[in-house]
Amino acid sequence: MNKRWQIYENNEAEVEKLSSKYHINKLLASILINRKIKDEDMAVFLNPTRQNFHNPFLMPDMEIAVQRILKAIKEKEKIIIYGDYDVDGITSITVLKSFLKDREVQVESYVPNRLEEGYGLNKPAIEKIAKERIYFNDNCRLWNFWNRRNRVC
């Protein structure tokens, strides 16, 4: 596989201005400029609070998912978190698993072997997991067609 990095040219004065204004290094300032983060959004982007988060209940079926997880916690069901092997997948598994363990939930995680099972949801793995315990999909192409058509919970 032959990949090429694309390096954008930045206005050095703009990079310096952003770096000084927000006390960030020049590399981060360059990345933010390349991502077209507007100056009026910069403070929230760099230092978000919970008030800046989107309401998760705006996502389809969030209430159903929350109720199902609460039922699993109450009835002491085993839960498995199916996640990706990339950095945000592993991070979200860790955070979610820690949260559930703090509530004394029996929780495991499953990360597919990317060479054997590929990336994203793996139908045979989901079917096997669902026979034994409740599972939920953590960061694995949440809008995957198979997942939407074949909800396990």
Side-chain angles (χ1 to χ4, degrees):
M1 184 180 311
N2 203 3
K3 294 186 178 187
R4 295 185 57 163
W5 285 81
Q6 292 183 347
I7 310 290
Y8 296 105
E9 295 290 327
N10 283 321
N11 177 326
E12 287 302 316
E14 190 178 0
V15 170
E16 185 64 45
K17 178 182 170 187
L18 194 65
S19 177
S20 295
K21 182 175 182 178
Y22 293 103
H23 307 288
I24 58 178
N25 68 44
K26 290 180 183 179
L27 177 60
L28 178 56
S30 296
I31 292 169
L32 296 173
I33 290 167
N34 288 340
R35 291 192 175 186
K36 301 185 182 350
I37 307 293
K38 296 179 182 152
D39 194 46
E40 61 268 17
D41 299 328
M42 195 65 66
V44 170
F45 186 85
L46 293 171
N47 298 295
T49 66
R50 287 185 179 200
Q51 286 73 35
N52 304 120
F53 294 171
H54 292 282
N55 180 350
F57 286 92
L58 296 175
M59 291 176 60
D61 298 331
M62 179 60 82
E63 184 64 38
I64 294 168
V66 168
Q67 292 306 316
R68 183 61 184 96
I69 292 167
L70 290 173
K71 178 183 176 207
I73 291 170
K74 182 180 177 186
E75 295 181 10
K76 301 198 183 303
E77 294 180 65
K78 292 180 184 175
I79 294 178
I80 190 159
I81 304 163
Y82 188 113
D84 283 336
Y85 49 80
D86 56 15
V87 69
D88 58 320
I90 298 298
T91 301
S92 57
I93 287 171
T94 303
V95 170
L96 200 47
K97 195 171 180 179
S98 176
F99 173 83
L100 291 169
K101 280 189 169 191
D102 285 350
R103 279 138 192 87
E104 299 180 0
V105 174
Q106 290 183 32
V107 61
E108 298 174 27
S109 58
Y110 180 83
V111 178
N113 180 310
R114 71 180 186 174
L115 299 176
E116 295 173 11
E117 299 171 275
Y119 185 79
L121 292 173
N122 173 325
K123 186 176 178 180
I126 299 262
E127 289 171 341
K128 180 180 179 209
I129 291 165
K131 289 178 185 174
E132 301 173 17
R133 58 190 63 93
I134 174 179
Y135 98 98
F136 55 97
N137 182 354
D138 179 31
N139 182 275
C140 289
R141 296 181 188 175
L142 292 175
W143 300 111
N144 178 290
F145 177 77
W146 187 88
N147 191 34
R148 285 187 284 145
R149 299 280 302 206
N150 299 286
R151 291 191 181 132
V152 176
C153 299

